[in-house]
């Protein structure tokens, strides 16, 4: 196997022998894992010193031992240019990150991969891990871009686990041409959607109050929309109307708008959620929620569980007006959750606690009800309509 890299750098020392041996071993592992020959060409090495990085980031070390540091926000990026033939490429990354839970996306030639990083022992302990298999449909001079979407989780001053550590330090990206099937998908909003109606615009068929008739009293149907709350009445407790069925992997599309006298309005769409079983809290639901609040559009909140926003804002819709109809898309596919608001991807989150339990909570449900919320507090109304879902097999 021949490692390819450009030779116009100031310090032309070869890549660390230990790193090369580790990469070669992983590539051979890929070949053995497939009945047919998985590798179809020479490995392409993209070292950190050849990358373009955002101004706030720094390069530590020199030459082939350099690593990219200070990567801590989705607006920052790491990118390389590479001449690629059309085809599939196994992507590996050499990095250090001693905290679990951090994740990134990789974009190239209109395709995208997303992955969690496995933690390393220390910030100085580099490892090479497989990210996925990306399809390069066109080829040519391709730009390959990494963006962080969630930080590593560590214990804060109060002793709670919080996502507040930086993204990994990156030493290199490795591409292996392969015959294995791709795990990437097209960037942007999925073009193909065959949804079925969750709400028929006439009655509550397929829906029920989370707390029975007490919850149902806070929802009505008006102008083919489900309306939560009343503009003339404050609300003592959160209330939800939920689907009778549970859903796991799906894409949900709907429209919403808000009627409120000020910016204190609050609502949301629960998904993969379950009724709260704590005595005296039967009006609550536990699970993920795409929040509808004035100060954080398109955010993902963990209702009644981690009590925290998840992931990081990946975009902000321009000229957002809560009192006009807004388009919301929620896509749950395995551990990955994405939210688009008015065509802008606002959240991209990968759940790290599907198999490994979160402290004091356990593993995180990946199946549950879809529910519409009206939040307790000052009088307002949240209107929901055109609710459609496509289940993902």
């Amino acid at each position: 196997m021949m490692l390819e890299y450009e030779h116009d750098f100031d310090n032309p020392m070869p890549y660390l022998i230990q790193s090369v041996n580790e990469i070669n071993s992983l590539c051979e592992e890929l070949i053995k894992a497939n009945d047919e020959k998985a590798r179809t060409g020479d490995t392409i090495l993209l070292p950190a010193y050849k990358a373009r990085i955002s101004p706030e980031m720094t390069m530590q070390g020199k030459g082939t031992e350099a690593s990219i540091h200070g990567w801590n926000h989705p607006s920052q990026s790491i990118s390389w240019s590479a001449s690629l033939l059309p085809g599939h490429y196994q992507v590996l990354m050499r990095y250090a990150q001693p905290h679990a839970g951090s994740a990134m996306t990789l974009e190239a030639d209109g395709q995208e991969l997303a992955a969690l990083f496995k933690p390393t022992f220390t910030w100085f302990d580099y490892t090479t891990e497989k990210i996925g298999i990306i399809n390069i449909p066109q080829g040519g001079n391709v730009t390959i871009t990494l963006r962080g979407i969630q930080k590593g989780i560590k214990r804060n001053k109060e002793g709670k686990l919080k996502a507040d550590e930086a993204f990994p330090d990156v030493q290199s990206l490795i591409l292996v041409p392969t015959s294995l099937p791709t795990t990437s998908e097209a960037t942007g909003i999925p073009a193909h959607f065959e949804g079925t109606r969750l709400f028929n615009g006439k009655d509550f068929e397929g829906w029920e109050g989370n707390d029975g008739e007490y919850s149902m009293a806070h929802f009505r149907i008006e102008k083919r929309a489900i309306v939560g709350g009343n503009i003339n009445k404050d609300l003592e407790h959160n209330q939800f109307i939920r689907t009778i069925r549970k859903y796991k992997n799906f894409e949900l599309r709907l429209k919403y708008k808000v009627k409120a006298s000020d910016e204190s309005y609050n609502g949301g769409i629960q998904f993969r959620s379950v009724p709260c079983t704590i005595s005296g809290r039967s009006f609550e639901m536990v699970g993920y929620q795409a929040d509808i609040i004035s100060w954080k559009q398109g955010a993902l909140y963990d209702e009644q569980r981690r009590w925290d926003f998840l992931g990081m804002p990946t975009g902000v819709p321009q000229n957002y007006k809560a009192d006009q109809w807004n388009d919301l898309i929620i896509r749950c596919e395995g551990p990955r959750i994405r939210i688009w608001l008015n065509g802008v991807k606002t959240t991209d989150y990968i759940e790290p606690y599907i198999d490994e339990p979160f402290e004091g909570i356990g593993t995180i449900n990946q199946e549950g009800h879809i529910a519409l919320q009206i939040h307790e507090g000052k009088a307002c109304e949240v209107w929901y309509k055109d609710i459609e879902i496509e289940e993902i097999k």
Side-chain angles (χ1 to χ4, degrees):
M1 179 183 300
M2 179 175 69
L3 291 173
E4 295 183 353
Y5 50 90
E6 299 181 39
H7 296 270
D8 59 344
F9 48 92
D10 294 333
N11 181 15
M13 64 182 291
Y15 198 73
L16 294 174
I17 297 299
Q18 181 180 357
S19 301
V20 172
N21 289 340
E22 184 178 351
I23 294 166
N24 287 345
S25 175
L26 281 164
C27 293
E28 292 301 323
E29 189 179 307
L30 290 172
I31 296 171
K32 292 176 182 178
N34 198 27
D35 292 335
E36 301 176 359
K37 185 178 180 181
R39 184 170 59 82
T40 59
D42 289 330
T43 295
I44 300 165
L45 174 66
L46 303 173
Y49 70 87
K50 298 298 293 182
R52 296 184 298 274
I53 60 177
S54 297
E56 305 86 359
M57 302 162 72
T58 60
M59 196 78 67
Q60 294 187 335
K62 295 182 179 180
T64 53
E65 296 183 59
S67 62
I68 298 165
H69 184 71
W71 186 25
N72 54 31
H73 194 273
S75 63
Q76 299 172 320
S77 66
I78 304 170
S79 63
W80 293 265
S81 292
S83 181
L84 301 178
L85 293 172
H88 295 179
Y89 292 80
Q90 172 74 65
V91 181
L92 305 96
M93 196 170 85
R94 186 163 179 80
Y95 67 90
Q97 217 298 12
H99 302 282
S102 62
M104 56 126 249
T105 60
L106 180 148
E107 296 180 14
D109 207 11
Q111 291 282 303
E112 180 182 69
L113 292 171
L116 284 166
F117 294 108
K118 296 179 181 178
T120 59
F121 185 65
T122 69
W123 278 108
F124 307 101
D125 176 36
Y126 284 84
T127 186
T128 306
E129 296 288 347
K130 291 178 277 189
I131 302 299
I133 299 172
I134 193 164
N135 176 35
I136 301 297
Q138 302 297 323
N141 188 29
V142 176
T143 298
I144 302 158
T145 302
L146 301 180
R147 288 187 176 86
I149 56 174
Q150 64 198 58
K151 294 183 178 181
I153 298 168
K154 69 175 185 179
R155 205 172 296 280
N156 65 10
K157 293 180 180 179
E158 290 74 39
K160 296 180 180 180
L161 293 174
K162 302 284 284 186
D164 60 2
E165 190 50 73
F167 305 135
D169 287 353
V170 178
Q171 199 169 71
S172 62
L173 200 68
I174 305 104
L175 305 180
V176 185
T178 180
S179 61
L180 294 172
T182 181
T183 59
S184 67
E185 60 181 275
T187 57
I189 297 173
H192 182 75
F193 179 72
E194 293 184 358
T196 58
R197 291 190 304 177
L198 270 184
F199 169 56
N200 62 24
K202 299 179 295 183
D203 56 41
F204 289 115
E205 180 183 0
W207 296 79
E208 62 187 357
N210 185 58
D211 195 16
E213 290 303 314
Y214 182 74
S215 294
M216 292 299 293
H218 298 280
F219 293 87
R220 67 185 188 274
I221 297 172
E222 189 174 332
K223 297 180 180 178
R224 301 189 65 82
I226 295 176
V227 184
N230 190 310
I231 193 64
N232 298 311
K233 186 177 181 181
D234 294 350
L235 189 62
E236 183 180 3
H237 296 303
N238 295 344
Q239 295 296 338
F240 302 85
I241 182 173
R242 72 185 189 214
T243 57
I244 295 172
R245 267 199 60 194
K246 294 181 179 181
Y247 297 88
K248 186 175 183 180
N249 294 316
F250 59 87
E251 184 173 312
L252 179 72
R253 299 192 180 195
L254 58 83
K255 297 179 186 293
Y256 76 83
K257 68 177 180 179
V258 176
K259 290 185 178 182
S261 58
D262 58 25
E263 296 295 290
S264 66
Y265 63 82
N266 197 325
I269 297 91
Q270 292 276 140
F271 53 96
R272 289 180 172 175
S273 299
V274 296
C276 183
T277 57
I278 298 174
S279 177
R281 305 287 294 178
S282 58
F283 51 86
E284 292 286 10
M285 292 200 75
V286 180
Y288 300 116
Q289 178 169 295
D291 249 347
I292 300 174
I293 49 178
S294 61
W295 52 278
K296 204 173 180 72
Q297 284 93 46
L300 177 64
Y301 188 72
D302 201 23
E303 179 86 12
Q304 303 292 313
R305 191 162 52 189
R306 282 169 283 191
W307 302 93
D308 201 0
F309 289 100
L310 305 177
M312 305 178 73
T314 55
V316 178
Q318 299 299 309
N319 303 315
Y320 173 80
K321 293 180 173 59
D323 62 352
Q324 298 180 9
W325 287 114
N326 294 278
D327 294 300
L328 189 71
I329 300 174
I330 301 168
R331 187 175 177 92
C332 298
E333 198 167 7
R336 190 181 185 191
I337 297 170
R338 283 169 287 174
I339 299 173
W340 289 269
L341 179 57
N342 294 343
V344 175
K345 184 168 70 170
T346 55
T347 296
D348 196 340
Y349 175 73
I350 303 176
E351 181 57 69
Y353 297 107
I354 291 176
D355 300 314
E356 295 292 327
F358 188 87
E359 185 178 278
I361 293 175
T363 55
I364 304 299
N365 292 336
Q366 296 299 288
E367 183 177 29
H369 302 278
I370 293 167
L372 309 178
Q373 184 206 53
I374 182 65
H375 200 277
E376 64 186 48
K378 193 171 180 179
C380 74
E381 296 176 358
V382 183
W383 292 51
Y384 304 92
K385 74 170 186 176
D386 299 343
I387 308 169
E388 295 186 327
I389 192 168
E390 179 181 0
E391 294 189 76
I392 301 170
K393 306 302 183 185

